[in-house]
């Protein structure tokens, strides 16, 4: 019985942490290739459901949270040193905001979905990018503009709020570069 409990605890610990190697998409999928926790299977499902290539969804998650399941924005400081409120409600792998996550669960019927579950998070990212395609006409193969819309929101993207924001543009370029690297890696290991 003790052996079973130890195996179960190790299993849960593996589910609640980022993969050790996040710079290689093949290594990520190799590290999370379990019977219950199969990230490649989850990514393929999201790609089938929404038409967004796996490398783009994975690059979005990398850029948002570095695959940290419990990622949150930092707290602001009251009087310069007292931890205070967070800058937003962004949370989990996808850094989805509360309201956007609620809309996703309503529209997809995935009411039990969790932002700390990779399968749910990548499905959300695929859904959101598909909404960017529908509302703003962004190609599902355009990681740069998909990321700009992901970060800025559909309305913010349409208004061009990202144009004067060098930080967001750098993040979109980073997501593009990661997406291209992940695509090459996945072709090489046969997981495309």
């Amino acid at each position: 019985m003790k052996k079973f409990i130890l195996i179960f605890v190790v299993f849960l610990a593996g589910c609640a942490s980022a993969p050790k190697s996040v710079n290689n998409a093949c290594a990520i999928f190799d590290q999370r290739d379990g019977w219950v926790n199969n990230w490649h299977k989850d990514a393929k499902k999201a790609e089938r459901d929404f038409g967004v290539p796996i490398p783009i969804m994975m690059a979005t998650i990398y850029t948002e949270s570095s695959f940290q399941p419990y990622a949150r924005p930092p707290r602001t400081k009251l009087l310069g040193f007292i931890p205070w409120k967070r800058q937003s409600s962004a949370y989990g792998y996808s850094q989805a905001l509360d309201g956007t996550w609620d809309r996703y669960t309503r529209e997809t019927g995935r009411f039990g979905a969790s932002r700390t579950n990779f399968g749910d998070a990548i499905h959300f990212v695929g859904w959101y990018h598909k909404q960017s395609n529908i509302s703003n006409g962004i190609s599902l193969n355009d990681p740069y503009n998909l990321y700009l819309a992901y970060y800025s929101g559909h309305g913010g993207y349409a208004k061009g709020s990202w144009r004067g924001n060098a930080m967001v543009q750098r993040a979109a370029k980073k997501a593009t570069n990661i997406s291209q690297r992940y695509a090459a890696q996945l072709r090489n290991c046969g997981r495309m």
Side-chain angles (χ1 to χ4, degrees), residues 14-35:
C15 294
S17 62
K20 287 180 178 59
S21 176
V22 296
N23 292 315
N24 185 302
C26 299
I28 292 169
F29 289 143
D30 287 345
Q31 292 170 70
R32 295 296 190 269
D33 194 18
W35 180 63

Side-chain angles (χ1 to χ4, degrees), residues 30-41:
D30 287 345
Q31 292 170 70
R32 295 296 190 269
D33 194 18
W35 180 63
V36 174
N37 193 25
N38 189 314
W39 285 18
H40 185 251
K41 183 177 158 189

Side-chain angles (χ1 to χ4, degrees), residues 15-187:
C15 294
S17 62
K20 287 180 178 59
S21 176
V22 296
N23 292 315
N24 185 302
C26 299
I28 292 169
F29 289 143
D30 287 345
Q31 292 170 70
R32 295 296 190 269
D33 194 18
W35 180 63
V36 174
N37 193 25
N38 189 314
W39 285 18
H40 185 251
K41 183 177 158 189
D42 293 333
K44 287 299 274 185
K45 179 178 180 352
E47 182 181 55
R48 276 192 314 273
D49 287 353
F50 302 109
V52 182
I54 290 172
I56 292 174
M57 293 183 291
M58 293 289 285
T60 300
I61 291 174
Y62 179 100
T63 305
E64 287 292 294
S65 70
S66 298
F67 297 97
Q68 297 293 328
Y70 302 106
R72 289 183 183 271
R75 290 187 178 277
T76 57
K77 303 283 186 194
L78 180 65
L79 303 175
F81 68 95
I82 301 170
W84 198 241
K85 298 176 183 178
R86 296 191 189 276
Q87 298 166 350
S88 77
S89 63
Y91 181 61
Y93 288 110
S94 62
Q95 289 295 281
L97 300 173
D98 290 348
T100 311
W101 187 262
D102 291 344
R103 178 180 161 214
Y104 161 74
T105 59
R106 272 192 324 275
E107 290 186 10
T108 62
R110 295 171 62 105
F111 296 104
S114 168
R115 290 179 275 184
T116 60
N117 175 289
F118 178 81
D120 294 335
I122 198 162
H123 196 264
F124 169 84
V125 171
W127 170 83
Y128 195 90
H129 286 336
K130 181 64 176 179
Q131 302 308 307
S132 297
N133 168 258
I134 293 166
S135 63
N136 290 306
I138 302 170
S139 166
L140 296 177
N141 294 303
D142 181 352
Y144 186 82
N145 283 292
L146 286 172
Y147 186 81
L148 289 175
Y150 192 87
Y151 187 91
S152 304
H154 298 127
Y157 178 84
K159 291 176 192 167
S161 65
W162 51 271
R163 284 192 179 96
N165 190 329
M167 182 209 63
V168 175
Q169 292 175 33
R170 279 192 303 275
K173 183 66 176 160
K174 176 182 175 181
T176 301
N177 292 338
I178 293 165
S179 173
Q180 292 167 348
R181 184 173 72 236
Y182 279 177
Q185 292 164 347
L186 291 170
R187 277 192 299 274

